[in-house]
Amino acid sequence: MALVVICGQPCSGKSTAATNLAEALKQFESSSKFNVNTIDEASFHLDRNQNYANMPAEKNLRGVLRSQVDRSVSKDKIVIVDSLNSIKGYRYELWCLARATGIRYCVVFCNAEETQCREWNQQRRIKGEAAYDEAIFDDLARRFERPDQKNRWDSPLFELSPLSNGIESYSDVISDAVYYLTKEVDSKTRDVRILQPTIATQSAKFSEANSLYELDRATQEVISVIVEAQSRAAGGPLNGISIGQGLPNLDVSRSVGLPELRRLRRTFIKLTGQTSLSGRPPPSDSESAKRMFVDYLNRELDTTA
């Protein structure tokens, strides 16, 4: 039904806004037949300082959240993403997920001054609550990219002012957001926009599914070759296993049991999927998938030999 992106500086009241918006929306759940789902870092037991300590960790965090959003968005659910969402390129990625699903989209911006956010962060630390380290707070505040209503991925934009107007569930801004998210639409509706999937977004989803299928099939074929080669050796010495023409050999001198091979395969597929969330997509052809898997096995089996 809709994707709501909460955006703002660290310690600007985003989680409070997300909670109050969810509470306001739940008053319409039974009558409108939709569910409200909030996705945040706390639900994954993620520590804010660890996940923003460096760029690889932050990139992985965005990948985890984006993956959960991708799995959650649907035409009968309102999904609220409660995180910094401070990078405009990342907000664009979330907008693309909403467009591919064919649902509503909006951004709720907690507009608080950096000095006030810093003060709230210090108060949280004094109270023993989750707070950002000073260096991490400074870095996040410096890199924050303010949403702009002119951008498709920042529109419509509902702007909250936590310090002056508060962020209660009955505030005018939250009421406006609830109206936008729950209003029934028809062909004459002009003040609510339902994003429409394009051929490009539909093709991207098909391509990703096809890649995962090829990855699953190719890794299983490699395991079958290894098991067959070990069976032929009948416990004798192995001087490498040929996987196929044009592919690297598996350099292993010991027998590797099927449970270990299956565990390595599961780990490889999981790692490849995580990489595709924040970087390049998984291999789309069988040969590339086999080559990557054999390289992975050579590294892992070499360390455990």
Side-chain angles (χ1 to χ4, degrees):
M1 185 172 177
L3 176 61
V4 183
V5 175
I6 308 293
C7 173
Q9 294 269 17
C11 279
S12 58
K14 298 182 299 300
S15 293
T16 302
T19 299
N20 289 337
L21 176 60
E23 290 178 354
L25 286 168
K26 286 179 180 178
Q27 299 177 17
F28 298 85
E29 273 187 327
S30 57
S31 59
S32 301
K33 297 181 180 179
F34 64 83
N35 295 319
V36 179
N37 181 22
T38 300
I39 297 174
D40 57 14
E41 298 161 25
S43 60
F44 293 94
H45 306 288
L46 299 173
D47 180 84
R48 61 181 63 191
N49 287 307
Q50 290 181 358
N51 284 284
Y52 291 106
N54 51 61
M55 291 308 296
E58 183 177 339
K59 193 173 183 180
N60 182 68
L61 168 64
R62 290 199 297 268
V64 169
L65 294 175
R66 181 189 182 281
S67 177
Q68 185 62 32
V69 172
D70 195 16
R71 289 193 294 266
S72 300
V73 287
S74 69
K75 294 189 177 182
D76 60 357
K77 188 182 298 181
I78 296 179
V79 177
I80 302 172
V81 188
D82 174 20
S83 186
L84 286 176
N85 300 316
S86 57
I87 307 299
K88 61 182 179 181
Y90 182 62
R91 294 197 296 271
Y92 172 73
E93 291 181 19
L94 297 176
W95 178 84
C96 287
L97 294 179
R99 182 178 62 173
T101 310
I103 57 177
R104 310 178 201 200
Y105 173 91
C106 71
V107 173
V108 176
F109 173 37
C110 292
N111 185 12
E113 294 293 332
E114 180 183 334
T115 53
Q116 181 61 60
C117 294
R118 188 182 300 277
E119 181 180 335
W120 285 335
N121 188 55
Q122 292 173 345
Q123 290 174 359
R124 291 178 65 88
R125 186 182 298 110
I126 293 172
K127 295 177 182 178
E129 300 173 350
Y132 294 96
D133 293 341
E134 284 298 326
I136 292 177
F137 182 95
D138 291 342
D139 179 59
L140 293 174
R142 176 181 57 81
R143 293 189 291 112
F144 177 73
E145 296 177 335
R146 186 186 180 95
D148 186 345
Q149 176 85 20
K150 296 177 183 177
N151 298 326
R152 293 173 295 169
W153 54 88
D154 290 334
S155 176
L157 181 65
F158 298 96
E159 188 169 323
L160 286 164
S161 298
L163 188 60
S164 57
N165 300 326
I167 47 179
E168 289 78 10
S169 57
Y170 53 80
S171 70
D172 291 340
V173 176
I174 289 184
S175 297
D176 290 344
V178 170
Y179 172 82
Y180 181 83
L181 295 167
T182 59
K183 181 182 179 181
E184 294 187 6
V185 298
D186 54 33
S187 58
K188 298 180 181 180
T189 304
R190 295 291 180 268
D191 56 346
V192 174
R193 183 185 179 194
I194 308 296
L195 300 179
Q196 297 301 318
T198 64
I199 295 177
T201 55
Q202 290 174 327
S203 297
K205 280 186 172 288
F206 173 79
S207 176
E208 182 178 355
N210 187 59
S211 296
L212 293 174
Y213 168 76
E214 290 292 346
L215 185 67
D216 183 79
R217 189 181 66 157
T219 53
Q220 186 57 56
E221 289 179 1
V222 170
I223 286 182
S224 296
V225 171
I226 297 171
V227 171
E228 184 179 351
Q230 292 183 145
S231 178
R232 287 198 305 267
L238 292 170
N239 297 317
I241 297 175
S242 174
I243 303 300
Q245 186 176 2
L247 296 172
N249 289 341
L250 181 65
D251 300 323
V252 61
S253 57
R254 64 177 178 88
S255 179
V256 185
L258 186 57
E260 182 178 4
L261 288 171
R262 286 175 173 168
R263 177 182 60 79
L264 290 168
R265 175 175 175 266
R266 288 194 301 268
T267 304
F268 172 76
I269 291 175
K270 181 178 179 181
L271 291 173
T272 305
Q274 290 176 347
T275 302
S276 71
L277 292 173
S278 54
R280 63 183 182 182
S284 58
D285 63 278
S286 179
E287 295 302 301
S288 297
K290 288 180 180 179
R291 184 175 293 105
M292 288 176 60
F293 186 42
V294 173
D295 288 341
Y296 171 79
L297 289 176
N298 279 327
R299 292 195 302 271
E300 292 299 309
L301 294 174
D302 179 64
T303 60
T304 59

